[in-house]
Amino acid sequence: MKTLINRQFDFMGKRRIAFAISGALILVSIVSLLFQQLNLGLDFTGGTLVEVRYAVAPSLEAVRQTLEGAEFRDVSVQTFGASTEVLIRLQQAFDAQVGDRVVALLRDGGESVELVRAEFVGAQVGEQLRDQSGLGLLVALGIVMLYVAFRFQYKFAIGALLALMHDVIIVVGIFSLFQLDFDLTVLAALLAVIGYSLNDTIVVYDRIRETIRKSRIDDMPAIFNEAINMTLSRTLATSGTTLLVLMALLLLGGDMIHQFSIALIIGVVVGTFSSIYVAAALLLAVHLQREDLIPAKKEDAEAEEELP
């Protein structure tokens, strides 16, 4: 009987530990979402936008500290176009003098500041964005399930869908747990996480399918270990290089994509873990067998007659 080559890591042997870790993270995430909920940003809750123009590019951190030291709360500051154009987001009700008060505070530091605009972002827009974004996530997950079911087999679709839900819930749960601002950039990051994690999962699933077809044993954990080890170097190289870029964005990208970078970093780490452990181990949980991929050959109903 042909056996598989010696494997480097026994991933499936540790699947119960991986499930325990995933279960704990999902439980903490759900509890946090139920009791703390998300710290929704201005895109969803409504508030005030103030755009100012400096003569010289300012320090965004100094601008934020100046405003937070006064009467304003939940201040978000970012450059808008040129480095001298600054967009300030305030999570508070709008009034006609808010722009003048902001400019007056910033001028107290001796800076040359000009008010460009001050406007209100309504909560109704935020509610519409929240509803549409949630629908978008559900549609994306549904399309993913249909694709994997068509490309592989329905048991693979179940594993891929649960693994993607695992990744999304944990990323959202961490934002809820630490009360990080959840805005449209984070929502975009969640959709990117779905695509990234799905790509990793498809690579692992494709190798699992090919290994099942080529092997002559029925030990599914051994086959899965072989397939995962064959894709491990590719998975770690992809995740590692992606994390290097995301760390650069986090440290150098500025306030505008800060939350976006954090969400993607969490998503890449969790997605790599789920594609190695969760997605593959779920195939064992749904009892994937060789017969699911290799239909049994039909036997002849009658013996073939001999020719004279």
Side-chain angles (χ1 to χ4, degrees), residues 65-82:
Q65 290 178 357
T66 298
L67 296 177
E68 288 180 346
E71 58 187 291
F72 301 104
R73 60 183 180 82
D74 297 326
V75 179
S76 174
V77 182
Q78 63 191 59
T79 54
F80 185 71

Side-chain angles (χ1 to χ4, degrees), residues 16 26 48 52 58 60-61 70 72 86 91 103 141 157 173 193 203 207 252 261 264 285:
R16 290 180 177 81
I26 290 175
T48 300
V52 297
L60 298 183
E61 185 62 28
F72 301 104
V86 177
Q91 196 168 1
V103 170
L141 291 174
V193 166
V203 170
R207 183 60 64 182
L252 305 174
S261 304
L264 273 181

Side-chain angles (χ1 to χ4, degrees), residues 38-46 89 91 180-184:
L38 288 169
N39 181 21
L40 296 176
L42 186 63
D43 296 327
F44 295 103
T45 61
R89 303 185 179 198
Q91 196 168 1
L180 302 173
D181 288 338
F182 190 94
D183 54 23
L184 285 179

Side-chain angles (χ1 to χ4, degrees), residues 5-12 204 207-208 211 221-236 276:
I5 63 174
N6 292 332
R7 56 182 178 267
Q8 297 178 356
F9 301 102
D10 182 16
F11 291 107
M12 293 300 97
V204 173
R207 183 60 64 182
I208 287 175
T211 307
I223 293 174
F224 287 11
N225 278 328
E226 177 68 13
I228 294 172
N229 275 288
M230 293 173 69
T231 60
L232 184 61
S233 59
R234 178 262 176 204
T235 299
L236 295 180
I276 292 176

Side-chain angles (χ1 to χ4, degrees), residues 86-249:
V86 177
L87 187 65
I88 301 168
R89 303 185 179 198
L90 308 171
Q91 196 168 1
Q92 66 176 54
F94 178 80
D95 63 75
Q97 289 77 36
V98 64
D100 295 330
R101 293 205 307 272
V102 168
V103 170
L105 281 170
L106 298 177
R107 285 175 178 170
D108 287 344
E111 300 282 354
S112 175
V113 187
E114 174 189 353
L115 176 64
V116 177
R117 63 186 170 106
E119 59 188 37
F120 176 67
V121 178
Q124 184 177 2
V125 176
E127 291 177 1
Q128 186 178 11
L129 286 172
R130 184 181 60 217
D131 295 341
Q132 290 180 348
S133 61
L135 179 61
L137 283 175
L138 291 176
V139 170
L141 291 174
I143 292 175
V144 164
M145 187 172 184
L146 291 175
Y147 166 75
V148 177
F150 175 78
R151 179 72 172 79
F152 293 90
Q153 199 256 0
Y154 80 92
K155 291 183 179 180
F156 286 89
I158 295 173
L161 179 64
L162 293 177
L164 291 179
M165 291 176 62
H166 163 277
D167 299 343
V168 171
I169 290 172
I170 291 177
V171 173
V172 174
I174 290 176
F175 268 76
S176 171
L177 183 64
F178 295 99
Q179 287 295 285
L180 302 173
D181 288 338
F182 190 94
D183 54 23
L184 285 179
T185 64
V186 178
L187 178 62
L190 282 178
L191 293 174
V193 166
I194 290 176
Y196 180 90
S197 181
L198 177 63
N199 180 65
D200 255 3
T201 300
I202 292 299
V203 170
V204 173
Y205 277 1
D206 187 61
R207 183 60 64 182
I208 287 175
R209 181 179 60 178
E210 292 304 315
T211 307
I212 290 175
R213 288 174 173 175
K214 292 178 181 179
S215 67
R216 295 295 182 268
I217 65 174
D218 293 321
D219 187 353
M220 287 295 149
I223 293 174
F224 287 11
N225 278 328
E226 177 68 13
I228 294 172
N229 275 288
M230 293 173 69
T231 60
L232 184 61
S233 59
R234 178 262 176 204
T235 299
L236 295 180
T238 303
S239 301
T241 52
T242 304
L243 286 173
L244 286 176
V245 174
L246 292 175
M247 289 301 299
L249 289 177

Side-chain angles (χ1 to χ4, degrees), residues 30-45:
I30 292 175
V31 170
S32 179
L33 286 168
L34 288 175
F35 291 96
Q36 287 197 146
Q37 301 184 346
L38 288 169
N39 181 21
L40 296 176
L42 186 63
D43 296 327
F44 295 103
T45 61

